[in-house]
Amino acid sequence: MQNKNTMWKDTLSLFAITLVAGGLLGLVYQVTKEPIALAKYNKKQEAYKAVYADAASFEENSDLSSAVASAEEALANAGITGVYISEALEARDASGETIGYVMNFGSNEGYGGAVDLSCGIAKDGTLTGLSVLSMSETAGLGAKCTEEAFQAQFAGIKADSIAYTKTGRSADNEIDAIGGATITTTAVTKAVNGALAFIHANGELSK
């Protein structure tokens, strides 16, 4: 009987401890949930600011969000494979007016795998900036896609699609390829073309 009573006491004690611990975890979650969400929001705003400096904020649009969910399939149907769209937001000025779009997107066809990017696209279709967020390309070759000299080429281009050249830019929609890294250059260019195609299909551009 003594052993049985001890077992019940131990069980009740363990249950009480678990209940209290669960309650404390729930309380901590509720207290920290908003600050964590705010920190993530601010970090995202800063990242997008790097590719769309003229915008004051970046906000969700339900139609764009719905389009993102089926973007990979839609792009594949348009002949753009290996490209994914992770997020698309409206870029707004200080008055709240939409002046363009920002996106997180990328290609699965880099030399080392996925190349994650972000870009800004103004309402007239002009690229406002490009940033490589993460990649696993070869050091000294494909990894040069993270250098400002490569990324800066995209800003200011207004075209339905972008091409790369190995012999020096001669057209408004061209960028110079990374020497010895054609696969990386192709992956980035293809991803940007996917982003442009997505916005042309789902955004409100004024050409």
Side-chain angles (χ1 to χ4, degrees), residues 46-146:
E46 290 173 7
Y48 281 135
K49 189 73 173 175
V51 295
Y52 208 136
D54 290 341
S57 65
F58 310 96
E59 308 298 339
E60 290 188 0
N61 173 298
S62 58
D63 291 336
L64 282 179
S65 297
S66 296
V68 166
S70 58
E72 193 166 348
E73 181 181 356
L75 289 175
N77 290 337
I80 304 174
T81 57
V83 175
Y84 52 89
I85 310 293
S86 302
E87 184 175 58
L89 303 177
E90 290 184 343
R92 299 178 183 175
D93 63 16
S95 69
E97 181 181 353
T98 299
I99 58 174
Y101 304 92
V102 290
M103 302 174 63
N104 272 348
F105 62 102
S107 169
N108 290 314
E109 299 176 350
Y111 187 81
V115 181
D116 294 320
L117 307 144
S118 67
C119 78
I121 303 172
K123 266 206 159 184
D124 67 354
T126 301
L127 280 163
T128 60
L130 177 80
S131 178
V132 177
L133 302 176
S134 65
M135 56 86 216
S136 300
E137 304 301 274
T138 306
L141 293 172
K144 288 183 177 180
C145 67
T146 61

Side-chain angles (χ1 to χ4, degrees), residues 35-46 56-59:
I36 290 173
L38 180 60
K40 287 182 178 179
Y41 174 82
N42 288 336
K43 185 175 181 180
K44 183 186 297 184
Q45 295 287 311
E46 290 173 7
S57 65
F58 310 96
E59 308 298 339

